[in-house]
Amino acid sequence: MIPRRIGSAIVALAAAVAAISIPALTTPAQAAVGVEDEGAGCAVPTLPDAGSLPTNAKLPDPFKKIDGTRITNVADWTCRREEIKKQAEKYVYGEKPAKPSSVTGTVSSTNITVNVSHQGKSSSFSASVSLPSGTGPFPAVVVLGGFGADTNTIKAAGAAVINYDPYSVGKEGTGRTNKQGAFYSIYGATSPTGLLMAWAWGVSRIIDVIEQSGGNILRPDATGVTGCSRFGKGAFVIGAFDQRIALTMPIESGSAGAPIFRGIPGEGAQSLSSAYGEQPWLGDAFSPFVSAPTKLPIDTHEVVGMFAPRGLFIMDNPHIVNLGPKSASVAALGGAEVYKALGAGSNITYWSDITDGNHCANRAEWTTPLQQNIRKFLLRTGNDPGTIRISSKAQGSLSSWVDWTTPVLGSGPSTPPSTPPSTPPSTPPSTPPSTPPSSPPAGGCSASVALNSWSGGFVATIRVTAGSSPINAWSVGLTLPSGATITSAWNVNRSASSGPVQFTNVAYNGKLSAGGYTEFGFQATGSSTTMTPTCTAT
């Protein structure tokens, strides 16, 4: 692995490197889901052992379910994503355990503490906090190990920085049978889960604590993550496996990060055996694939798809072959097909069109898209479309890797999970609102509803949008269908569980800038019908 080197200065913007720029579809920004895994209730078939997997030199079809059929509706993506998640855990990263039985901690303007207890074992870790100027609560970006997107730019844009030490949760320099850190104190030193997934578990527990804190300092509905090099690998996995993360920004992640596993051998990047052996980043179960990536039933383009429709900004370096930038561009292009199919093509950016080849340097070319992504997904005050800018020095060809086409997905209901979700799912990406968003009034606010329904239940996601003036608080009135009962709600207070219900903001999502928006949701039993919300602002 290339040593980590951080450039301290922003480089001057030089003459542009020849690049291909692929405009993305323009759609509204999508907020993060209010739960860690919206597909937790989906039934996933038993996955075969590695030895019985067929060989496939092409990138697997992200739209084809394990049973061989292809998804046909946007709403089907929730359970298809869960299949990809389970495959990624079984064959690549190791399992990410669900939230432990007890997670407690504190949030202050300078520090976050996390205390975890589960099945008689416990561990603790902390992360420092650096707030921007202004009045909170603030969105926040988790920066792994001090190496990630430019923190000055992050704070200047209005987001806090959470400095997270991944080694406190999963330590490097240990053997696979002697893993150490807060994760392994709970799940054992011989756990087959690799460091990248352990680091992801740690960030999820930080978000748990932020959620419990009341949101007076940091907003739990506006978290980002970034890292470079090995910490870019970590950021990539962290964002993929927690849908509460609104924006993920991996930088120069290299092998075991964004690059497709199938492309690494031909590109001359760090070999899979080297990436697997250098540190226990990947799960133990990846061992059979280090010399046979074509037997993997998934690849990283599908991990990119797991982010959709949330914000993803992949930054790469075309000047260092060892990082696998060509294979990373193919992963981004393949994953972008998922974004497009879900109607969220404007929410992914891949940028390798840079002039400075130093590893993990801050770059002038990334400053503007970084600011735009923070505004769009964390502050929710902008809607700049994402873009694909691939340097001609490392331009991958998606067409040479695929034998499938991107479907046109309908907007009908999905097949309901075979068991009720243990946590409330969100409305699937890009499901058209059952009540179209109206133009916000000159003052005040407007609200719209999007539904995901199945036999006997539904989830509603309500978007509250401020008018031409900022608002300090909001209230949404809604009458539930006859017989419907709310079983859980998130990011909101509610007055009742059935009939006419008044929803009011919680501490961290009441203030909206002019034109800004926030989202809340609820899960209910019964049948869904068109609901017309009213919004009042103060």
Side-chain angles (χ1 to χ4, degrees), residues 318-538:
H319 306 284
I320 303 177
V321 174
N322 197 57
L323 291 170
K326 184 180 293 185
S327 296
S329 72
V330 173
L333 291 170
E337 294 304 303
V338 175
Y339 273 84
K340 293 174 184 177
L342 299 178
S346 69
N347 289 352
I348 180 173
T349 292
Y350 177 86
W351 199 302
S352 64
D353 181 8
I354 58 173
T355 58
D356 177 16
N358 290 331
H359 187 38
C360 290
N362 290 327
R363 309 186 195 282
E365 296 96 326
W366 292 339
T367 300
T368 296
L370 174 60
Q371 293 169 334
Q372 291 173 341
N373 275 276
I374 291 172
R375 286 196 298 264
K376 182 175 182 177
F377 296 104
L378 300 183
L379 300 174
R380 297 174 191 159
T381 58
N383 197 32
D384 295 285
T387 189
I388 306 290
R389 290 182 61 94
I390 304 172
S391 168
S392 61
K393 294 177 66 67
Q395 184 176 323
S397 170
L398 178 63
S399 61
S400 64
W401 284 101
V402 303
D403 55 7
W404 43 266
T405 58
T406 302
V408 177
L409 299 178
S411 58
S414 64
T415 302
S418 60
T419 57
S422 57
T423 53
S426 76
T427 301
S430 305
T431 301
S434 58
T435 57
S438 59
S439 299
C445 58
S446 63
S448 60
V449 181
L451 294 172
N452 175 29
S453 306
W454 58 88
S455 178
F458 64 93
V459 165
T461 297
I462 295 89
R463 175 174 292 193
V464 178
T465 304
S468 58
S469 302
I471 61 176
N472 295 316
W474 49 263
S475 176
V476 172
L478 191 70
T479 299
L480 268 66
S482 177
T485 301
I486 296 175
T487 56
S488 60
W490 48 96
N491 295 337
V492 74
N493 299 312
R494 58 187 168 94
S495 64
S497 297
S498 60
V501 182
Q502 202 70 25
F503 299 94
T504 55
N505 63 270
V506 290
Y508 55 80
N509 63 1
K511 291 184 178 181
L512 297 176
S513 59
Y517 74 91
T518 189
E519 291 183 336
F520 68 89
F522 63 85
Q523 182 174 358
T525 59
S527 300
S528 66
T529 59
T530 299
M531 292 175 281
T532 304
T534 60
C535 188
T536 303
T538 59

Side-chain angles (χ1 to χ4, degrees), residues 224-225 235-236 238-240 245-250 307 310-314:
V225 63
F236 183 68
I238 289 165
I245 294 174
L247 174 62
T248 302
M249 299 176 286
F307 288 89
R310 296 172 293 134
L312 178 60
F313 177 22
I314 301 175

Side-chain angles (χ1 to χ4, degrees), residues 170-252:
K171 184 180 179 181
E172 288 189 347
T174 63
R176 290 189 174 272
T177 59
N178 186 33
K179 300 186 182 85
Q180 299 173 23
F183 177 89
Y184 300 104
S185 295
I186 300 289
Y187 300 104
T190 60
S191 166
T193 296
L195 296 182
L196 302 181
M197 193 65 90
W199 298 350
W201 175 90
V203 172
S204 293
R205 306 294 70 88
I206 288 175
I207 297 175
D208 292 341
V209 172
I210 295 174
E211 286 179 333
Q212 297 166 14
S213 71
N216 295 320
I217 298 173
L218 301 177
R219 289 173 48 189
D221 66 334
T223 302
V225 63
T226 187
C228 188
S229 195
R230 64 195 64 207
F231 299 142
K233 308 179 202 300
F236 183 68
V237 175
I238 289 165
F241 285 85
D242 194 325
Q243 292 179 278
R244 296 172 296 181
I245 294 174
L247 174 62
T248 302
M249 299 176 286
I251 304 173
E252 302 177 34

Side-chain angles (χ1 to χ4, degrees), residues 106 110-114 125-129 142 162-165 206:
T106 61
T110 59
N111 196 58
I112 297 173
T113 63
V114 180
F125 61 96
S126 63
S128 65
V129 175
V142 179
I162 300 173
N163 290 295
Y164 170 57
D165 177 13
I206 288 175

